[in-house]
Amino acid sequence: MDIYTIIFLALAVFIFLRLRSVLGQRTGSERPPYDRAAPNVVQRTQDNNVVPMPGSVIDQPPAAPSAEAATPSDRWKGIAEAGTPLAQGLDALVAQDSSFDPRHFLSGARSAYEMIVLAFANGDRRALKDLLSGEVYESFEAAIKDREKHEQKTETRFVSIDKAEIVSAEARDRSAQLTVRFVSQMISVTRDKTGTIVDGNPDKVADITDVWTFARDTTSRDPNWKLVGTGSAQ
């Protein structure tokens, strides 16, 4: 070994010892590296609203506002004016059924209105039985039978449901009743077996106003409302 090799080896050992003293050794008990971004990530998670995955809640109606949580002047805001007979009727209904929410009800009433009108037009007795009271069903079925007797068919198509508003509310014993005014646009035509039009116009959109009354037994576990009365206004 020449003198230069010995000098380079000595220099390498010296550098190794210096680096070791500065960097230290891993013993297996060191803490994990600190992530400076972690607190920010946690903060963002806490500040943002959590969006539940679809399907986590199924057919769960929104909780009705309690009497203590709302003042009389805004309890039925957008539904009824404070102090009116309608507001008083809604108060009585909630006293009987604390889970009642008029906005949730109106959403279901709009769907029921469309389903009933189309089921009647199509002569769908099964669908009507689930949505109508016994008396109303008999009236609808009589009209369907008369149509079938004369070999007529009705075609109805909704263009829009422009408004659905509660016009009266009443709590009777174990029964709750709500009357709703529907304002809609639809096309309806009735033809005989030859295709000749006997009523309506397939090319004309008609403005329709119906006033329907729905009811349910508030002591029953069945949450569904049924149509118990119908009327119309032009």
Side-chain angles (χ1 to χ4, degrees):
M1 238 186 241
D2 59 22
I3 185 65
Y4 295 107
T5 302
I6 295 172
I7 291 173
F8 283 127
L9 286 173
L11 184 59
V13 170
F14 174 77
I15 293 172
F16 171 75
L17 293 174
R18 290 290 293 175
L19 288 173
R20 184 178 184 187
S21 66
V22 174
L23 300 177
Q25 305 179 68
R26 288 195 174 274
T27 63
S29 61
E30 295 82 5
R31 293 183 180 180
Y34 177 72
D35 184 358
R36 294 182 181 274
N40 294 331
V41 172
V42 173
Q43 186 64 42
R44 288 197 300 270
T45 302
Q46 292 173 344
D47 291 343
N48 294 340
N49 292 327
V50 177
V51 180
M53 293 297 291
S56 59
V57 179
I58 300 175
D59 297 334
Q60 179 65 35
S66 63
E68 294 78 15
T71 61
S73 61
D74 63 8
R75 186 180 189 187
W76 306 119
K77 187 175 182 180
I79 302 294
E81 294 291 333
T84 60
L86 175 56
Q88 294 170 0
L90 292 172
D91 287 339
L93 200 155
V94 169
Q96 194 175 76
D97 180 5
S98 60
S99 67
F100 172 72
D101 183 331
R103 292 168 183 81
H104 184 70
F105 166 80
L106 281 174
S107 176
R110 290 172 71 98
S111 297
Y113 175 64
E114 185 171 357
M115 289 173 62
I116 290 170
V117 170
L118 295 180
F120 173 69
N122 296 328
D124 188 346
R125 292 175 171 83
R126 175 177 292 183
L128 291 173
K129 276 189 175 181
D130 293 334
L131 298 167
L132 312 180
S133 68
E135 291 182 0
V136 175
Y137 175 77
E138 290 178 2
S139 175
F140 276 45
E141 187 185 30
I144 292 173
K145 284 182 176 179
D146 183 68
R147 201 166 58 205
E148 292 172 341
K149 178 181 177 180
H150 292 89
E151 299 184 78
Q152 298 174 348
K153 289 187 177 181
T154 298
E155 302 167 4
T156 299
R157 179 168 62 87
F158 273 91
V159 175
S160 65
I161 299 178
D162 301 319
K163 183 183 293 186
E165 58 181 353
I166 300 174
V167 295
S168 70
E170 186 177 2
R172 296 183 183 177
D173 299 327
R174 301 182 307 171
S175 174
Q177 288 193 357
L178 289 167
T179 300
V180 182
R181 180 187 292 116
F182 298 97
V183 178
S184 64
Q185 293 184 328
M186 64 180 78
I187 297 173
S188 185
V189 60
T190 300
R191 305 175 189 270
D192 62 18
K193 62 181 180 179
T194 65
T196 302
I197 297 174
V198 296
D199 188 32
N201 188 332
D203 301 316
K204 181 180 179 181
V205 177
D207 295 322
I208 306 295
T209 299
D210 285 311
V211 181
W212 287 9
T213 299
F214 298 87
R216 70 173 291 263
D217 184 346
T218 56
T219 64
S220 171
R221 292 184 178 181
D222 184 357
N224 295 316
W225 295 74
K226 289 195 174 184
L227 180 64
V228 298
T230 62
S232 62
Q234 297 296 332

